[in-house]
Amino acid sequence: MRRFLRPGHDPARERLKRDLFQFNKTVEHGFPHQPSALGYSPSLRILAIGTRSGAVKLYGAPGVEFMGLHHENNAVVQIHFLPGQCQLVTLLDDNSLHLWSLKVKGGASELQEDESFTLRGPPGAAPSATQITVLLPHSSRELLYLGTESGSVFVVQLPAFRSLEDRTISSDTVLQRLPEEARQRRVFEMVEALQEHPRDPNQILIGYSRGLIVIWDLHGSRVLCHFLSSQQLENVCWQRDGRLIVSCHSDGSYCQWPVSGDSQQPEPLHSCVPYGPFPCKAITKIFWLTTRQGSTFAIFQGGMPRASYGDRHCISVVHDGQQTAFDFTSRIIDFTVLVEADAAAFDDPYALVVLAEEELVVIDLQTPGWPPVQPPYLASLHCSAITCSHHVSNIPLKLWERIIAAGSRQNTHFSTMVCPAPRPALRAPRPPGPGSLLTVSVVFPQEWPIDGGTSLAPAPPQRDLLLTGHEDGTVRFWDASGVCLRLLYKLSTVRVFLTDTDPSGSLNAQGEDEWPPLRKVGSFDPYSDDPRLGIQKIFLCKYSGYLAVAGTAGQVLVLELNDEEAEHAVEQVEADLLQDQEGYRWKGHERLCARPGPVHFEPGFQPFVLVQCQPPAVVTSLALHSEWRLVAFGTSHGFGLFDHQQRRQVFVKCTLHPSDQLALEGPLSRVKSLKKSLRQSFRRIRRSRVSSRKRRPAGPPGEAWPDPRQGQEGSTRAERTGLQNMELAPVQRKIEARSAEDSFTGFVRTLYFADTYLRDSSRHCPSLWAGTNGGTVYAFALRVPPAERRMDELVRAEQAKEIQLMHRAPVVGILVLDGHSVPLPEPLEVAHDLSKSPDMQGSHQLLVVSEEQFKVFTLPKVSARLKLKLTALEGSRVRRVSAARFGSCRAEDYGEHHLAVLTNLGDVQVVSLPLLKPQVRYSCIRREDVSGIASCVFTKYGQGFYLISPSEFERFSLSTKWLVEPRCLVDSAEPKNHGRPRNGSGPETALSRARNSGSQSDGEERRSGPVMEHALLNDERVLKEIQSTLEGARGSSGDWHSQRVAVAYSLSNGGGRGSGHCCPVRGAPGEG
Amino acid sequence: MNRSHRHGAGSGCLGTMEVKSKFGAEFRRFSLERSKPGKFEEFYGLLQHVHKIPNVDVLVGYADIHGDLLPINNDDNYHKAVSTANPLLRIFIQKKEEADYSAFGTDTLIKKKNVLTNVLRPDNHRKKPHIVISMPQDFRPVSSIIDVDILPETHRRVRLYKYGTEKPLGFYIRDGSSVRVTPHGLEKVPGIFISRLVPGGLAQSTGLLAVNDEVLEVNGIEVSGKSLDQVTDMMIANSRNLIITVRPANQRNNVIRNSRTSGSSGQSTDNSLLGYPQQVEQSFEPEDEDSDEDDIIIEDSGVPQQIPKAVRNTESLESLTQIELSFESGQNGFIPSNEVSLAPVASGTNTEFETRAPDQKLLEEDGTIITL
């Protein structure tokens, strides 16, 4: 095994490699980092989110996702769908417009940028003249009206962005056409609002910031009406019938202006300051929506009393005497309201969609109490900062169902709009109350309201769980099987401990008659009560339902899944890892104080044992063996083994080096090194910025190199200039051999249970392996009594081997390969017939992966067989390693076990087992993205996840076979079922969708369907009501010339509208 | 004389070699396979075994053909001793604590024999004090310039041996840019340079590296295209046997070969380098392969020992069994049977093995035989 032996180019192997390995970044899970714009297409029923980094993400039905990235790295300021089309226009903060479209290619839609455009004013005009403030895509689909800071409204023709200069509506033109008395004041300045008349495409409304609103006749180029308010204008809403205009203002007031034949309205019909009388903040956006019942919905953002609630991020909903100010934990970016389309006479809003800085909140406006709806995607992964993650592939159905059942009991506060969780069937027979809408919403269980497009992706091949540990002591269980990362269950470990804040106190703190009527919504809560609660390591056994969770203050909890709620005491044990080491002082945090006595636990994972390490340093490694009922844990001081069946400690081992002061004193004294590493990473960032800036293709055109290697030349040139900059602050690195005295050598990096030949080759026995930061591997032979005497005899452990790697690099992985060189199966895997039993005939091999080298040793006599010196060859270090099975995309049953490796340079590699030959290498994460590299987890089948922002996981795949990526179709011509299902076919569609929606455990749900149907048919009142509704809808829709399909009154959308032939209104068949 | 004759005959047909080993006043005789002498550790264990001094640290020496007492303390000089022994390998064993280091060296054996002459002519001896060579275990590879013959004269390949010294490597590297000659003329490219030498460090004390030397390769791997951090990690990973190819900032000390002058060499710099790496790697890799392979294992909290390499081609295994075989054959030959026990000789002290000593079969299974 010469390491410089060139890999033989065996063509058969190369072909096989192509069948096995392939690198793709498939989908981004979670909530977009730094969102900056929201758009919604009522005709496509697709939501668009733009970010500050120039990304556009589209979301429709679960599984329907698209992403596009602007070439410029500028923030997306506005997104507007073109009415009734698969196209959207984005405005960036550099004042450029971009046209994107969804095009069908090979059976699936793709999002691509078609055109871009920057508005240019006449020569010599101020830049503000063309600074776009508002956009209105006209329902004619060809024209785009652009309101600017100068007060002019420009017109461009789509799709080529051709400027129609003769159609520009300048402020001078408007001024000339105003009556004399309105010209007195400086009424113009920037355009704040542009709206098309809901029914007459020839009229548009222009609102200027000084308070003037005019209705402009596009054909006649004249002012039809004008309204003059005394306050600075923020935004305007045009009521659905066009007879009323509602304007909102910077002083926290809104005014209603009737639109009548008279050209001028001196005074508003009604004006009010909802949170007066003291000075209020501006109302920045308002919706005024009609309902069939008559009383309107007023939904507005802001307007809170400046002094006492000025810092809140609120959206208020006022309807029928009720008023709620939804209080968001992060800044509101934008919001929109989803309204009925079938019943064109009224808006009948059914959902409020709010894009906040850190989460998407959807509120069900039809269920009394306006409960939030749980989104099937866009989950805020970072509601509390993610501290670790753990992936478990191929969950058995039974466990999956139990976790979902436990999770569904936690989600009762969510609206029943959500489909997947089994709904309590008792809601269906509830007598129809005064609000008949309530009944309708119960009978027709509404799904996720944003359901455009069709997902063509095949059903996920298996059930995968991604577990994330959070700073606040919670563990979240995500369904990671498919494109949508959905929260299944949330486990909190806080209840085990005594913390400063009693969780029960904060709930229901608000009294009934509180004003303003604030209500907290959303789950984003970045503030942790106690940093010691943070979760550091998670280990789930998918067969037994045992879960081990370890945290920042040395706490290790062993939990068991229980379908019933329970109240019991958690057994506490202290593990003294220092043992007889004397004279050391721990200067770090204290250990957590456990709550004495019985604790009440809700159904789900319930802790029964708490092991607290002493000193209470961060738990750095954790392993659970559910068959032997053992849990092993390690910190920077040592490691221990705990028998959770007998609830007693088996042994502890101190790994501390006597000179290791840092580990002894705790995290406080680490400040210095932290500072140093910060400085280094800043330097790194600075350097990367310099080089990336220089790499932009810039510079005068004549300077190009006249040779074919031009690109390369350019980049070397850029690097060179980058280097020149860098020489001002030279970075140097010390070259020094690692010595045994480096700090943190005792830090336990990895723990591993194996049933192997540790002592002699005739008998295998249970063993525990531990690897430290200083390159030491300890092996303990265990004696686990047989099951029938498990409670009577003690588990014994004896140290059998200790291996010191001379290169002293941290050990990041230990694995035992069986006689066929296949990694040993997980505990209980064989017992559940899910894996072949390991080969115990041939001799086993031990694989030790350090940050620098991979080494294979023979067992039981440890002798070196093979190695791969990664760092010595490439200068990269191993950050993550995991054994994975790679299936072939050609042969169904062919697969190979290899190591998936992530290096500190952000490369992912596959290293073969057992010969340790590098197979493939792809660059995956930027090397500067330290947190991304640190967050990476691999699955058992060659996929992986890493954080691209605090709130987003990128999913990638190294395998040709296991690939989860969105594949979906959005078709504008497709006759869509707009609005909520309102006829008898409703339950069926809802049910079939529910069945497809990814939950494999919808047994209960299927049952709940017929129950509701039954309720529907038995209730004559309901039937009659539906009948009348449908007839009414049909009648009214016939009268209308322009058929409205779905309306989202968002300023950005300017009241998007669909037109008849493209999105025909469903002729309500009324078969109910 | 008759003995040597007998042995000569023996070696002629069997390829074995007679060994006469002296420890104190005792002699032991046994034989070794001349073509497969095995490793020094095994030989050392064998010696301890045949002299029944299992836990005594000893110095091993042999008499070479010139009659000099030379040390045997590693595989190289052991092999040298075996290959040059003709016909008999004479081994001298001293206890470490009572070792007479001055005994080693040129003419030592002769001198000892001629003690009388020394006594008779003391001033002669005083005039020429013999050079004392330091303790054999202190012999170590030292840092040096290597591969002079295959590198262009503008480059220098330096092997820094950290082994055995407590000195830090003691240098720093930085990013920089260097000028290269390319088909498009002179061009500036990024490079890695030595930025600082720590006073008293290995790098400084050897005098082979200097500030502003450009680092071209680390252990045969070109650094071009690698980041400073990557090169740092590569150097640290190879720190036990670090071989750096540099282009010295000071090109005036270059050895001038052939007829070319150093002035023209600047042009040849990079072109000549490109042709080399392949060849260069092979030039030093094979021997250095396992320089850091000395991981340590402690079995059952016993005594630390180096992890042996698993046998791939069973070469060392054969040599090991050969020794055992020669014991057995020795029973009717050179070694009195009462001095031979079949206790393990394969690896040093091992508590596990000792407990299982009677079970020879198991030992073999546990040993290096079981490999894939």
Side-chain angles (χ1 to χ4, degrees), chain A residues 729-865:
Chain A
V731 181
Q732 54 177 14
R733 296 274 185 275
K734 189 177 188 183
I735 307 299
E736 210 42 81
R738 227 186 331 275
S739 69
E741 286 74 44
D742 277 350
S743 55
F744 281 109
T745 50
F747 197 117
V748 179
R749 289 288 293 267
T750 179
L751 287 164
Y752 177 67
F753 285 108
D755 186 5
T756 187
Y757 299 94
L758 183 59
R759 291 199 137 138
D760 60 65
S761 50
S762 53
R763 281 181 297 120
H764 57 92
C765 67
S767 62
L768 171 66
W769 299 77
T772 72
N773 227 27
T776 313
V777 175
Y778 301 94
F780 280 75
L782 308 179
R783 210 189 64 79
V784 183
E788 61 273 17
R789 296 195 300 274
R790 184 66 179 78
M791 286 306 285
D792 310 327
E793 293 177 24
L794 293 183
V795 176
R796 294 193 189 282
E798 193 181 346
Q799 181 163 345
K801 289 185 199 305
E802 178 179 333
I803 302 171
Q804 175 62 56
L805 303 175
M806 284 317 280
H807 64 285
R808 296 194 182 279
V811 177
V812 292
I814 298 175
L815 192 66
V816 172
L817 309 178
D818 72 4
H820 297 306
S821 298
V822 171
L824 292 185
E826 288 170 55
L828 293 175
E829 200 171 8
V830 176
H832 285 69
D833 285 335
L834 288 156
S835 166
K836 274 194 294 190
S837 44
D839 179 77
M840 288 297 189
Q841 305 304 317
S843 66
H844 285 191
Q845 298 179 77
L846 169 71
L847 170 72
V848 175
V849 183
S850 76
E851 283 193 0
E852 300 191 354
Q853 301 186 2
F854 299 77
K855 287 193 165 183
V856 171
F857 299 94
T858 56
L859 281 177
K861 167 90 182 134
V862 175
S863 39
R865 271 204 70 208

Side-chain angles (χ1 to χ4, degrees), chain A residues 872-893:
Chain A
L873 293 175
E874 294 176 1
S876 54
R877 308 172 134 264
V878 179
R879 282 281 175 265
R880 282 276 182 284
V881 63
S882 169
R885 188 185 150 87
F886 291 88
S888 165
C889 59
R890 287 173 188 271
E892 188 57 40
D893 51 351

Side-chain angles (χ1 to χ4, degrees), chain B residues 64-236:
Chain B
D64 80 337
I65 45 168
H66 308 294
D68 298 336
L69 178 62
L70 298 178
I72 301 180
N73 57 356
N74 58 38
D75 286 351
D76 286 340
N77 50 25
Y78 169 56
H79 292 162
K80 177 77 178 169
V82 171
S83 61
T84 58
N86 193 24
L88 172 76
L89 178 60
R90 290 161 65 204
I91 299 292
F92 299 89
I93 301 173
Q94 292 176 288
K95 271 190 185 170
K96 231 172 212 172
E97 50 266 35
E98 28 192 78
D100 173 15
Y101 296 111
S102 64
F104 293 100
T106 314
D107 293 340
T108 42
L109 285 180
I110 299 160
K111 253 183 244 154
K112 283 216 164 163
K113 279 175 184 168
N114 300 342
V115 175
L116 196 64
T117 28
N118 283 336
V119 174
L120 289 175
R121 288 185 290 168
D123 14 59
N124 184 21
H125 182 63
R126 220 175 293 136
K127 269 177 201 164
K128 279 183 159 181
H130 74 262
I131 299 152
V132 177
I133 300 174
S134 63
M135 298 204 312
Q137 64 266 39
D138 285 349
F139 280 127
R140 58 180 172 83
V142 291
S143 305
S144 58
I145 300 180
I146 58 170
D147 293 340
V148 184
D149 48 339
I150 55 167
L151 284 177
E153 56 262 43
T154 49
H155 295 179
R156 176 185 293 171
R157 181 165 292 153
V158 175
R159 167 183 249 161
L160 285 178
Y161 264 114
K162 168 95 174 96
Y163 190 78
T165 64
E166 287 312 305
K167 275 181 187 165
L169 282 171
F171 67 100
Y172 289 75
I173 57 171
R174 63 167 169 87
D175 280 316
S177 58
S178 72
V179 180
R180 293 281 168 94
V181 184
T182 67
H184 325 289
L186 290 175
E187 194 183 301
K188 257 182 151 185
V189 293
I192 304 286
F193 294 84
I194 293 175
S195 63
R196 191 152 82 85
L197 298 181
V198 177
L202 187 62
Q204 197 215 32
S205 66
T206 60
L208 304 176
L209 296 174
V211 171
N212 291 334
D213 287 1
E214 183 181 1
V215 178
L216 303 172
E217 291 175 0
V218 175
N219 286 50
I221 298 150
E222 279 192 60
V223 303
S224 70
K226 294 201 160 58
S227 70
L228 184 65
D229 290 331
Q230 261 172 295
V231 177
T232 307
D233 282 342
M234 283 167 67
M235 288 188 174
I236 292 173

Side-chain angles (χ1 to χ4, degrees), chain A residues 452-471:
Chain A
T454 325
S455 176
L456 306 174
Q462 57 185 29
R463 292 167 292 271
D464 288 356
L465 266 184
L466 182 67
L467 278 64
T468 53
H470 297 262
E471 201 181 21

Side-chain angles (χ1 to χ4, degrees), chain B residues 295-358:
Chain B
D295 295 341
I296 293 171
I297 172 127
I298 306 173
E299 302 254 2
D300 288 351
S301 349
V303 182
Q305 54 181 283
Q306 288 183 358
I307 293 182
K309 271 212 85 168
V311 186
R312 300 197 62 74
N313 49 13
T314 64
E315 186 188 313
S316 70
L317 186 74
E318 273 171 33
S319 71
L320 199 132
T321 41
Q322 175 61 45
I323 296 170
E324 288 173 26
L325 284 176
S326 38
F327 279 146
E328 284 155 329
S329 68
Q331 288 183 5
N332 49 28
F334 309 116
I335 304 174
S337 59
N338 60 347
E339 285 188 26
V340 178
S341 89
L342 287 175
V345 286
S347 41
T349 14
N350 184 316
T351 49
E352 186 183 359
F353 289 170
E354 274 167 9
T355 54
R356 297 186 187 285

Side-chain angles (χ1 to χ4, degrees), chain A residues 719-731:
Chain A
E719 272 165 29
R720 205 194 318 145
T721 38
L723 285 168
Q724 276 165 355
N725 291 1
M726 207 157 44
E727 272 161 10
L728 300 173
V731 181

